[in-house]
């Protein structure tokens, strides 16, 4: 598996993402935000957490229109796998690759803590190894993680089994306790919690490691 990890000014989880993929046996290439083309042979693009472009305008708004943004969008439209975590999730919604929007937390406060999640769909490369109903613990670290979507859009997500993760105890006000959603072709995942910060027991837990192992295994057998 060959994964491209994007770095924007203000990204702070790009190295964590790279380590997560490397520990799962993947080859990782770093891609700077000013690049207009992706390296050859990419299987998956990972858009990391952080504060791209200082979160000016809206979180992810400028990054979605960066030079590399069009390459990411084109890759997804061609059926490529794209994983966006935290700020990466915000960027993917700003690109229109995922529905909905990430608003200010209901408490209007920055939240940083481990949270329990329920795996809601196993029908994706990202969640296949967990099983529906499995509970995992990933850290969150966001100020704008309140996922919102209109009632019709929510009905589509629910009806098409595209809610990947839900919060067991909602920390930010997200509609329907949603923590992560899939695209219609199930190859794009956006999520606010950080699986890349949960890959080593020495750092508090390893529930996220299965996500990276599953991706590497699926790509290797494709």
């Amino acid at each position: 598996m060959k994964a491209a990890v994007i770095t924007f000014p203000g990204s702070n989880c790009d190295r964590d993402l790279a380590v997560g993929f490397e520990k799962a046996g993947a080859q990782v290439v770093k891609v700077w935000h000013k690049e207009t083309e992706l390296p050859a042979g990419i299987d998956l693009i990972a858009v990391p957490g952080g504060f791209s472009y200082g979160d000016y305008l809206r979180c992810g708004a400028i990054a979605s229109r960066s030079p590399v943004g069009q390459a990411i969008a084109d890759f997804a439209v061609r059926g490529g796998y794209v994983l966006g975590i935290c700020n990466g999730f915000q960027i993917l919604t700003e690109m229109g690759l995922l529905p909905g929007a990430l608003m200010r937390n209901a408490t209007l406060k920055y939240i940083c803590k481990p949270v329990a999640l329920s795996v809601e769909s196993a029908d994706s490369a990202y969640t296949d190894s967990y099983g529906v109903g499995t509970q995992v613990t990933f850290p969150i670290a966001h100020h704008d993680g309140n996922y919102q979507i209109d009632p019709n859009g929510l009905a589509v997500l629910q009806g098409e089994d595209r809610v990947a993760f839900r919060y067991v105890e909602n920390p930010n006000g997200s509609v329907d306790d949603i923590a992560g959603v899939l695209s219609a072709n199930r190859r794009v995942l956006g999520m606010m919690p950080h699986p890349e910060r949960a890959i080593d027991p020495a750092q508090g837990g390893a529930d996220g490691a299965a996500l990276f192992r599953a991706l590497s295994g699926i790509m290797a057998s494709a």
Side-chain angles (χ1 to χ4, degrees), residues 91-155:
I91 292 169
L92 297 183
T93 60
E94 288 286 341
M95 286 182 175
L97 297 179
L98 291 171
L102 282 306
M103 311 294 288
R104 288 283 171 91
N105 296 339
T107 60
L108 300 182
K109 294 180 180 180
Y110 178 82
I111 305 172
C112 182
K113 63 179 182 179
V115 297
L117 306 172
S118 173
V119 179
E120 297 296 310
S121 174
D123 186 16
S124 79
Y126 306 95
T127 56
D128 177 70
S129 63
Y130 290 112
V132 174
T134 300
Q135 285 199 14
V136 295
T137 299
F138 298 158
I140 57 171
H142 58 247
H143 193 274
D144 297 69
N146 181 357
Y147 181 77
Q148 294 296 318
I149 190 170
D150 64 87
N152 289 337
L154 178 59

Side-chain angles (χ1 to χ4, degrees), residues 3 31 38-39 41 49 51 56 126 129 133-135 141 147 156 166-167 175 196 209 213 219:
V31 179
L38 298 168
F51 306 90
Y56 290 113
Y126 306 95
S129 63
T134 300
Q135 285 199 14
Y147 181 77
V156 170
R166 282 191 173 94
Y167 298 106
V175 65
E196 80 282 12
R213 287 196 302 267
M219 301 298 171

